[in-house]
């Protein structure tokens, strides 16, 4: 049975139809603009339009689809929360979209869709297809995560399963938009590292520039910034390892492209784990931009 998936972003909505759960050949794949500035109802209508376009192109009619969202559907209130597309917060998004489409949908946040895609189709599938527990890490402008057990997303009672970006890491991270202080995101997200570099050097630099300066060895502030990243990443991810003990941690997002995370970052994590040695497998994500929409389709397959 073909699997339909929608990846809802702040600026674009992408849809895909895959051949089946066992055959990930793409039947159809389209993108349209979200046009989020026109409001909540308009976003719903844009999703419906994309489904209609996919149907017209493929000649198929969906009976269900998976959708990856910014933010999370609260399992208790059945309303969306923590979305950076703020007009969607507090809205019964799943119920409203199902009413417009006329069939049931499955929903997960974008980090969970990323984790599911890498577990069932990407890096984790390639290295350990029988992995019991896969944790997906996104480190970019923010820090997010998703938890997949036996090939299924674990959303949790509050819908926040895997959200390691908002566990406490260090007071020095300062206030977080979520209302807490010192979250992982405030310490090791890309913008947080750039702010730290500026605070100690008095100079602005992109993370790529900071990494280049670190590698050149001629900038003590770059050295301090990357050292902070590696140490704090080790502390933060060790909490995940100690609690859920994943077989594999798959890492995506711009910060995850820093190769030192897979050597010195892992060495830092090993200092804080409850085991004699660190056996967790760390992998770079392989699906790139496809992870979100493929993972959404996997929600129903």
């Amino acid at each position: 049975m073909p699997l339909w998936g929608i990846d809802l972003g702040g600026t674009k909505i992408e849809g895909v139809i895959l051949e089946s759960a066992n055959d990930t050949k793409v039947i159809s794949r389209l993108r349209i603009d979200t046009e989020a500035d026109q409001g909540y109802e308009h976003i719903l209508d844009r999703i419906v339009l994309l489904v209609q376009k996919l149907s017209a192109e493929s000649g198929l009619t969906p009976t269900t689809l998976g959708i990856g969202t910014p933010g999370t559907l609260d399992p208790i209130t059945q309303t969306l929360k923590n979305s950076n597309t703020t007009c969607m917060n507090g809205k019964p998004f799943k119920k409203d979209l199902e009413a417009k489409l006329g069939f049931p949908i499955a929903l997960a946040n974008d980090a969970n869709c990323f984790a599911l895609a890498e577990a069932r189709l990407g890096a984790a599938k390639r290295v350990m297809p029988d992995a019991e527990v896969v944790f997906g890490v996104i480190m970019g402008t923010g820090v997010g995560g998703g938890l997949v057990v036996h090939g299924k997303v674990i959303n949790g009672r509050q819908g926040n399963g895997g959200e390691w970006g908002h566990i406490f890491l260090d007071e020095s991270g300062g206030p977080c938009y979520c209302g807490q202080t010192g979250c992982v995101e405030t310490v090791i997200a890309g913008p947080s590292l750039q702010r730290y570099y500026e605070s100690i050097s008095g100079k602005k630099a992109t993370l790529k520039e900071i990494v280049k300066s670190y590698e050149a060895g001629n900038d003590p502030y770059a050295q301090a910034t990357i050292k902070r990243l590696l140490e704090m990443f080790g502390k933060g991810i060790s909490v995940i390892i100690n609690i859920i003990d994943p077989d594999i941690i798959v890492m995506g997002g711009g910060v995850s492209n820093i190769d030192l995370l897979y050597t010195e970052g892992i060495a830092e994590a090993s200092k804080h784990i409850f085991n004699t040695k660190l056996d967790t497998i760390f992998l770079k994500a392989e699906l790139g931009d496809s992870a979100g929409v493929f993972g959404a389709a996997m929600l129903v397959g």
Side-chain angles (χ1 to χ4, degrees), residues 115 118-119 124 131-136 146-149 244 246-250:
E118 291 292 344
E132 182 182 25
V133 181
V134 176
F135 190 75
L147 177 59
V148 175
V149 179
I244 64 172
D247 297 288
I248 292 176
I249 293 175
V250 185

Side-chain angles (χ1 to χ4, degrees), residues 30-271:
L30 296 171
R31 277 187 186 186
I32 62 173
D33 292 336
T34 309
E35 299 178 355
D37 59 332
Q38 296 189 45
Y40 173 69
E41 286 291 334
H42 186 73
I43 293 172
L44 295 175
D45 290 337
R46 295 293 283 174
I47 296 169
V48 173
L49 175 64
L50 181 55
V51 171
Q52 291 169 344
K53 285 177 175 287
L54 287 166
S55 187
E57 182 173 284
S58 66
L60 300 171
T61 301
T63 56
T64 184
L65 65 82
I67 181 163
T69 62
T72 301
L73 188 75
D74 189 303
I76 297 171
T77 66
Q78 287 295 300
T79 57
L80 209 71
K81 61 184 179 182
N82 301 330
S83 173
N84 51 12
T85 304
T86 54
C87 67
M88 298 178 66
N89 288 324
K91 299 289 176 47
F93 175 71
K94 183 174 185 290
K95 179 183 174 184
D96 288 346
L97 186 57
E98 286 176 337
K100 282 183 178 284
L101 291 170
F103 54 76
I105 63 174
L107 209 69
N109 76 15
D110 44 15
N112 277 327
C113 289
F114 160 80
L116 184 60
E118 291 292 344
R120 292 181 56 180
L121 302 172
K125 173 71 178 293
R126 178 179 58 80
V127 172
M128 188 186 290
D130 60 346
E132 182 182 25
V133 181
V134 176
F135 190 75
V137 164
I138 298 177
M139 297 169 61
T141 54
V143 175
L147 177 59
V148 175
V149 179
H150 296 302
K152 298 291 184 183
V153 166
I154 304 299
N155 288 306
R157 177 162 174 78
Q158 300 172 111
N160 294 327
E163 281 294 347
W164 81 299
H166 296 279
I167 60 174
F168 174 77
L169 181 55
D170 195 87
E171 290 281 356
S172 64
C176 182
Y177 78 88
C178 75
Q180 307 299 320
T181 298
C183 293
V184 169
E185 185 168 301
T186 68
V187 180
I188 62 173
S192 303
L193 292 164
Q194 289 169 184
R195 282 194 297 271
Y196 178 78
Y197 178 83
E198 184 179 0
S199 73
I200 59 174
S201 70
K203 300 178 291 184
K204 286 184 180 291
T206 66
L207 187 57
K208 282 186 179 179
E209 291 167 341
I210 295 167
V211 172
K212 278 189 177 180
S213 296
Y214 174 89
E215 291 169 345
N218 56 7
D219 182 348
Y221 305 112
Q223 299 289 317
T225 302
I226 300 303
K227 182 171 184 281
R228 175 180 173 83
L229 164 63
L230 298 172
E231 289 179 351
M232 292 298 185
F233 168 77
K235 288 180 179 179
I237 205 65
S238 70
V239 176
I240 299 301
I241 295 168
N242 285 338
I243 293 173
I244 64 172
D245 198 11
D247 297 288
I248 292 176
I249 293 175
V250 185
M251 295 172 39
V255 178
S256 76
N257 292 321
I258 298 174
D259 290 337
L260 285 166
L261 286 168
Y262 302 87
T263 53
E264 294 182 35
I266 293 173
E268 288 293 331
S270 69
K271 297 176 182 178

Side-chain angles (χ1 to χ4, degrees), residues 16-37:
V16 73
I17 308 173
L18 303 179
E19 191 72 40
S20 71
N22 299 316
D23 181 356
T24 54
K25 175 187 173 186
V26 174
I27 297 173
S28 183
R29 187 172 181 176
L30 296 171
R31 277 187 186 186
I32 62 173
D33 292 336
T34 309
E35 299 178 355
D37 59 332

